[in-house]
Amino acid sequence: MDFTITEDQRHILDTVDRLMRRHYPPEEIRRRDAAHTDCKDMLPVFAKAGLLALPFPEEYGGLAADRLTAILVQERLAWHGAIAGIMFGQLTDFGGMSILKFGTEEQRLQLLPSIIRGEINLCFALTEPGAGSDAAAAVTSATKTSSGWLINGRKIWISMADTSDYLVTMCRSDKGSIGKSGLSTFLIARNSPGVTMTRLEKVGNNCMSSWDIGFDNVEVPDSALMGSEGDGMRNMMTTLQYSRTGQAALAIGIAQAACDAAKAHALERHQFGHRIADFQVIKHRLVNMQMRVEQARLLLYFASSLIDARRSCRKEVAQAKVTASEALEYVSRHGMQIQASFGYSAESDMQRYWRDARLYTFGEGTNELQRDMIAREMGL
């Protein structure tokens, strides 16, 4: 299978490079990370360049690009700055694809053009204090009323909820149900009365804030229901197919940046009268780092091609997510070793890659659960 970048894709990636160099150069990415600055302001910039239109059909104002093209863009954005790739994926995968794939036509017509123009943002409110890896244990409730639904419960570790206009929220709509059945997805306006949020502190991904969200008798209309009642788990798996490949693209983009930084340091740093890149132990370390990235990249591109072909790809998506996240962890750890004290300094990019990397092996489903899924697909 040929994954050679097409001329059109090359032009798009060149646009990404120009955009990031102009608006978000390395020093700006460092400043935002140090200041824990939110980055919703990136969305109109991406929209003006046409990036947010890429994954969506033309009838909603999109460009109808394939999944692989969107993945290439997310990877390149993350190479320049992880938060740029995160913002792109947050809106197009968690938000846009949720609406496109299982939202109502009214929701598509209302929200997709605004997403494409970078006017709104959405987040995916799934995790609960007692429902992380076991998403089917969700207890946040949606109770039917004469005018709509009443939402009560709590979601936790919800990324960038404060800059989102809507929360794509999975709730238990059948009070007596357990497990995967009886779950439904709702589109809840963040500023709805009864929604409260508390920021959670983390050790990395500083520009991607995380929130503890409370729902206290939050009233939503019938039009807030996404898709059919009881389809929440199926809806979630659809969204995760996109978000997990997006997360793999993020990890690969960051990992490639770490490889490049480590290589540049090894070529410049001299010890014992030689560049440290001249020592075999460093050469081999850099080779192993780059091989991990290339392996992950090929798995991701293959999984993306299966999504485009509308073929079953649960195993391939899980493989891409696991391989990419573990490649990033490996590369950032060895990049720190190559750069040593310089990498450990607060001013280096490598320490940011290293801090941020830890999230990816358990975000979007732990790698242990991904391996269980792969095993089931293998018939084990």
Side-chain angles (χ1 to χ4, degrees), residues 248-267:
L250 287 170
I252 290 166
I254 302 167
Q256 186 62 65
C259 280
D260 295 344
K263 176 184 172 183
H265 181 85
L267 290 170

Side-chain angles (χ1 to χ4, degrees), residues 3 99 121 260-261 284 331 370 373:
F3 295 124
I99 293 170
N121 193 21
D260 295 344
H284 286 188
V331 164
Q370 301 306 302
M373 183 187 302

